[in-house]
Amino acid sequence: GDSVTQMEGPVTLSEEAFLTINCTYTATGYPSLFWYVQYPGEGLQLLLKATKADDKGSNKGFEATYRKETTSFHLEKGSVQVSDSAVYFCALSYHPRGSARQLTFGSGTQLTVLP
Amino acid sequence: DSGVTQTPKHLITATGQRVTLRCSPRSGDLSVYWYQQSLDQGLQFLIQYYNGEERAKGNILERFSAQQFPDLHSELNLSSLELGDSALYFCASSPSTSTDTQYFGPGTRLTVL
C-alpha cells in the first residue's frame, strides 16, 4: 500500500540555520503530496502542497519540490525561527478514479529551534 | 483557525465505557474525515463521510462507528473503550471528494483510565 517515510527526529537547530526534513513516498500512482505542521497543543495546519511532478509548493519561507524520479518531497527553509518549532508531517493523497482521498501520513519530525 | 470545530476538547473516561466525539466541518464542506493520532501508531485515517454517506474506511476498529447528519456535522462513537484507545482524534473536512486539501480541527484528546 501507499506509505510515507520521514527522517527520524527530533531535529534541533539554532535560529537562522538551514532546515531540511527528508520525506520519501511509495505509491502505486501519482499522488498529491503535502506538508502539515502541528504546533504544540494544536491541530494540523496545511503548510504547502504539490499535485504533480516538478511542482514546487511554498509558504512562509518553506519550500518542497515534488520529485517523481526519486519519489521525494523534502521540506526546506533557508533560515528558521524559534516560532517554527513544531512537529512536521509529510503526507500523500492518492485517489484512483472514484476512490476517496484520505491522507497517508509519515511519522512526523519534531523540530526545535533555539534562540 | 481552520473553521472546523470539535467537541469536547478533552475527554477522560474509564475502560469499558462509550463516548461520542463531535465535529462540525467548515461551512460548505461536504466531506468529513476522522483520524486517530497515537504515540505508537502515529496519524491514521479512520473513516470518511461525504454528504451523509460513508465513503471510505481505514484502520477503524469494529468497536468504533461514525455518522454524518443532514446538517453535515459528524459524530465518532467509540465503545467498549480500552486503554489503548487513548489518543488524539482529529476531524478534517474538504469541500468535495475531488478536493485534495483537508482542513483539520483542533482535535479531541481522549484519555481512557
Side-chain angles (χ1 to χ4, degrees), chain A residues 32 34 36 38 41-46 49 51 89 93 95 98-107, chain B residues 9 33 35 37 43-45 48 55-57 88 90 96-107:
Chain A
S32 297
F34 305 82
Y36 279 84
Q38 185 177 27
E42 298 185 13
L44 284 84
Q45 299 176 26
L46 177 65
K49 65 182 264 192
T51 58
F89 291 92
S93 171
H95 40 85
S99 71
R101 294 177 179 236
Q102 65 264 34
L103 293 166
T104 299
F105 286 91
S107 57
Chain B
K9 193 165 183 171
Y33 301 78
Y35 293 86
Q37 184 179 32
L43 259 167
Q44 289 195 101
F45 167 70
Q48 179 205 2
R55 191 63 195 265
K57 267 187 173 179
L88 255 176
F90 287 109
S96 69
T97 57
S98 60
T99 308
D100 276 323
T101 302
Q102 296 177 24
Y103 299 89
F104 282 75

Side-chain angles (χ1 to χ4, degrees), chain B residues 59-110:
Chain B
N59 298 321
I60 188 165
L61 299 172
E62 285 192 13
R63 300 184 284 108
F64 295 1
S65 64
Q67 53 185 329
Q68 186 179 28
F69 295 87
D71 67 352
L72 300 177
H73 91 270
S74 177
E75 293 180 355
L76 180 67
N77 300 296
L78 314 176
S79 61
S80 302
L81 286 167
E82 302 175 0
L83 295 177
D85 298 327
S86 295
L88 255 176
Y89 291 85
F90 287 109
C91 166
S93 74
S94 68
S96 69
T97 57
S98 60
T99 308
D100 276 323
T101 302
Q102 296 177 24
Y103 299 89
F104 282 75
T108 293
R109 181 170 293 283
L110 173 66

Side-chain angles (χ1 to χ4, degrees), chain A residues 3 5 13 16 18 20-21 26 29 33 40 42 47 50 52 54 56-57 62 64 68 77 85 90 101 109 113-115:
Chain A
S3 66
T5 302
L13 297 172
E16 298 183 3
F18 184 86
T20 300
I21 300 178
T26 302
L33 301 173
E42 298 185 13
L47 182 58
K52 61 183 188 295
D54 300 324
K56 178 186 281 190
F62 291 89
K68 181 166 152 273
K77 186 174 186 183
S85 298
C90 185
R101 294 177 179 236
T109 301
V113 180
L114 302 175

Side-chain angles (χ1 to χ4, degrees), chain A residues 66-79:
Chain A
Y66 190 142
R67 300 284 187 203
K68 181 166 152 273
E69 63 277 9
T70 54
T71 61
S72 64
F73 193 55
H74 304 322
L75 182 69
E76 296 182 336
K77 186 174 186 183
S79 176

